[in-house]
Amino acid sequence: MCIAYLRFQPEQEVALFIAANRDEFHQRPTAIADIWQDQPTIIAGRDLEAGGTWLGINRQGGAALITNIRHPSANKSTATSRGALVLNALLHQAANPEQWHEADHLQSFLKAQGALENYNGFNLIFGDAEKLYYLNNYHRFINSPASGDSTLHQLSPGSYTLSNADLYTPWPKTRALAKSLDTLDLSALSRRDFANLNSSTLRDFIDTVFNRLADTQQAALHQLPQTGISEAFEKLLSSPFIISPDYGTRSSSIILKLKDGSAFLAERSFDAEAHITHQSCFYQHQGQVIRNTF
């Protein structure tokens, strides 16, 4: 996952809204979003090379996503797969749906992940309609009030946009996506729309979000961050949606968490030329899941 917008508003009907693009090498084997046969509580895409995922939901009302920290000189070839963190967060919440956010449960989750320095740089966000947490393991990119601390941070209600630096680093692409998605009105969506996945209100909303995620506007050279890659590659990666023959946006995703604990996930997949190859959506309510391909 390379850019993600989150709006956390636990007092509203749509308590959590996530819109995200996953950027990856096109040759990396990937499964589209689905209910996992070996972990049927999980609804997510799957990295078939390492076995984890970049974003997903579970039947118990949880959601999780990860972005990588881009700093090539600090990467370790022997690092533990970061996609396992998303899967583990979803499984942790599913195993303890009422108590997962209590201090002792969160500490047990952290301990189970092993030493965080064993992973290359990452940002992990996970939670539900009531609580949302952020974990970053890369101190040099932290410039928040929690500087130098890699423990979990509970996020306050509000909007956040995250890319390949820490949550508090504004890049041109994160500012552009935040400006675009902050204007979306979520109040028109109701549980009735999600129960009918052919709802025109829901379809219009999905199309609007996916269209805004498909922004290919690149940043000016003077606005580019310096992350240790060439200027040409930095510019290619500076748009919310990336198109190139080898590396680019593989999928766009939408997650909506309702106050009653139900959840919606939509995914749109792309080939190397940004042609749509697959679209599907899922709605879970009280552990039951309906799906549709559109």
Side-chain angles (χ1 to χ4, degrees):
M1 188 61 61
C2 284
I3 191 166
Y5 170 89
L6 302 96
R7 190 188 308 176
F8 182 46
Q9 45 184 28
E11 298 305 315
Q12 302 298 316
E13 180 66 20
V14 179
L16 177 62
F17 165 43
I18 300 172
N21 284 338
R22 182 208 182 204
D23 305 328
E24 183 54 86
F25 288 99
H26 291 292
Q27 67 181 10
R28 191 173 180 111
T30 296
I32 60 175
D34 206 345
I35 300 169
W36 288 21
Q37 295 300 308
D38 55 340
Q39 297 284 358
T41 191
I42 303 297
I43 305 169
R46 195 164 197 167
D47 172 18
L48 298 178
E49 184 170 304
T53 187
W54 54 94
L55 169 149
I57 63 174
N58 61 35
R59 293 176 187 263
Q60 290 72 28
L65 66 88
I66 199 165
T67 70
N68 300 340
I69 299 292
R70 188 160 75 239
H71 193 215
S73 64
N75 284 350
K76 303 181 289 288
S77 61
T78 58
T80 306
S81 171
R82 290 166 285 198
L85 293 167
V86 181
L87 175 58
N88 293 344
L90 291 171
L91 291 174
H92 165 76
Q93 198 273 348
N96 307 279
E98 302 299 327
Q99 297 86 28
W100 70 269
H101 52 79
E102 294 178 0
D104 56 339
H105 286 283
L106 288 174
Q107 288 304 311
S108 295
F109 167 74
L110 283 176
K111 185 177 180 180
Q113 307 319 303
L116 296 183
E117 59 266 27
N118 291 339
Y119 300 87
N120 287 324
F122 70 83
N123 301 293
L124 175 69
I125 294 181
F126 67 101
D128 59 17
E130 298 179 355
K131 304 283 185 180
L132 198 62
Y133 290 88
Y134 169 60
L135 178 67
N136 174 294
N137 74 332
Y138 208 56
H139 294 171
R140 77 165 57 230
F141 284 118
I142 291 286
N143 58 16
S144 71
S147 180
D149 184 3
S150 64
T151 57
L152 275 173
H153 303 287
Q154 185 173 348
L155 295 179
S156 301
S159 296
Y160 303 88
T161 312
L162 177 65
S163 188
N164 298 118
D166 77 86
L167 185 60
Y168 307 97
T169 300
W171 281 359
K173 66 192 294 182
T174 61
R175 290 195 296 265
L177 189 63
K179 184 178 180 180
S180 175
L181 292 177
D182 273 342
T183 61
L184 282 180
D185 182 10
L186 305 179
S187 64
L189 296 171
S190 69
R191 191 191 310 172
R192 182 172 57 254
D193 294 312
F194 296 104
N196 173 18
L197 294 180
N198 289 310
S199 159
S200 60
T201 300
L202 183 59
R203 290 297 185 88
D204 289 346
F205 176 81
I206 292 169
D207 284 341
T208 297
V209 176
F210 281 150
N211 288 339
R212 296 189 186 189
L213 283 170
D215 180 6
T216 57
Q217 180 65 48
Q218 297 179 351
L221 291 178
H222 72 276
Q223 295 178 311
L224 297 177
Q226 303 297 316
T227 64
I229 60 178
S230 70
E231 185 178 83
F233 199 26
E234 200 79 77
K235 186 169 179 60
L236 174 69
L237 303 185
S238 67
S239 57
F241 192 99
I242 299 164
I243 305 173
S244 79
D246 299 320
Y247 181 92
T249 299
R250 299 279 303 272
S251 62
S252 297
S253 301
I254 300 167
I255 289 176
L256 296 163
K257 307 290 299 180
L258 276 64
K259 195 174 181 180
D260 66 0
S262 58
F264 172 84
L265 168 66
E267 180 185 81
R268 177 178 285 183
S269 301
F270 307 93
D271 64 17
E273 296 179 336
H275 298 139
I276 299 170
T277 59
H278 182 79
Q279 300 183 110
S280 59
C281 58
F282 303 81
Y283 173 64
Q284 81 78 21
H285 179 65
Q286 297 181 343
Q288 301 301 308
V289 179
I290 58 174
R291 72 176 86 189
N292 198 3
T293 300
F294 59 98

